Amino acid sequence: MEAFPTTVQPAYSGFSKRSQPNIKKVRFADGFEQRQLAGIAAHQNGKIYNLIFQNISETASDEIEYFLNERALDQASFTFTPPSEESVKTGTYSQSGTTITVSITAHQLFANDSITVDFTSGSATDGTFSVVSLTNANTFVITAGSSATNSGNCTVTKSGTSNFVCESWSKSIPYVNRATINATFREVFEP
């Protein structure tokens, strides 16, 4: 899978992020309404980013445009890390068997999120993990590859990198050798 070029970052002016959960609703005659996520819960709230690559060189705009044209032709998704979506937080952990319980104030993670954990003390093995479950807003559970009993401190990184497709973009050239690209990236869930 190709990665979006990182030589140019989008501008923060005009940057927007939108969520649109895929929810099925049934409303009964008496006004009662039932709501349910359709499909796998972790895949039903894809984000849509409206990005502006503003006042970039013509060369950089050509690189972005070429990349997006190639993805349109092969219909493949690409990886991209939206601005300010990476988070790094520190906390504590305790391991019993293969279950590791991590405590971080306001962790902002969800079940199935992919995270990298650096165990800075204790004897747990660093690695990339999937969040198994959430106990509350400050505690979550991951599964270790081997059984042990220990505890310590850890640093958790959520990269924010996801798979995206870009179904539309536009390019304007307001000045000689300068360009602006407006693009809409839609998050997709693929292996």
Side-chain angles (χ1 to χ4, degrees), residues 26-35:
V26 176
R27 177 172 271 169
F28 299 95
D30 63 356
F32 179 77
E33 181 177 282
Q34 259 187 327
R35 293 164 303 284

Side-chain angles (χ1 to χ4, degrees), residues 1-4 43 46-49 76-82 159-166 185-191:
M1 179 173 306
E2 297 289 327
F4 187 79
H43 297 174
K47 308 301 185 238
I48 299 172
Y49 293 88
S77 62
F78 55 89
T79 59
F80 175 69
T81 304
S159 76
T161 300
S162 294
N163 296 342
F164 290 89
V165 293
C166 180
F185 288 7
R186 181 175 55 86
E187 186 178 19
V188 294
F189 300 97
E190 300 172 339

Side-chain angles (χ1 to χ4, degrees), residues 93-95 97-102 109-120 123-133 140-147 150 153-160:
Y93 76 94
S94 63
Q95 180 176 358
T98 59
T99 300
I100 300 177
T101 303
V102 180
L109 296 172
F110 296 97
N112 299 317
D113 277 352
S114 180
I115 57 173
T116 302
V117 182
D118 177 18
F119 296 100
T120 55
S123 59
T125 304
D126 299 345
T128 300
F129 300 89
S130 183
V131 175
V132 174
S133 63
F140 62 92
V141 175
I142 57 177
T143 302
S146 60
S147 185
N150 61 66
N153 298 318
C154 63
T155 300
V156 173
T157 303
K158 182 178 179 204
S159 76

Side-chain angles (χ1 to χ4, degrees), residues 9-24:
Q9 292 297 311
Y12 281 94
S13 62
F15 167 78
S16 69
K17 171 184 172 181
R18 184 172 43 128
S19 296
Q20 188 173 351
N22 187 9
I23 298 174
K24 295 209 182 265

Side-chain angles (χ1 to χ4, degrees), residues 51 53 61 64-73 78 165-172 180-185:
L51 304 167
F53 299 87
S61 72
I64 291 170
E65 195 169 30
Y66 178 79
F67 179 86
L68 295 176
N69 279 327
E70 287 295 305
R71 298 301 67 77
L73 291 174
F78 55 89
V165 293
C166 180
E167 295 161 339
S168 67
W169 66 91
S170 63
K171 177 180 176 180
S172 61
T180 297
I181 292 183
N182 293 302
T184 301
F185 288 7

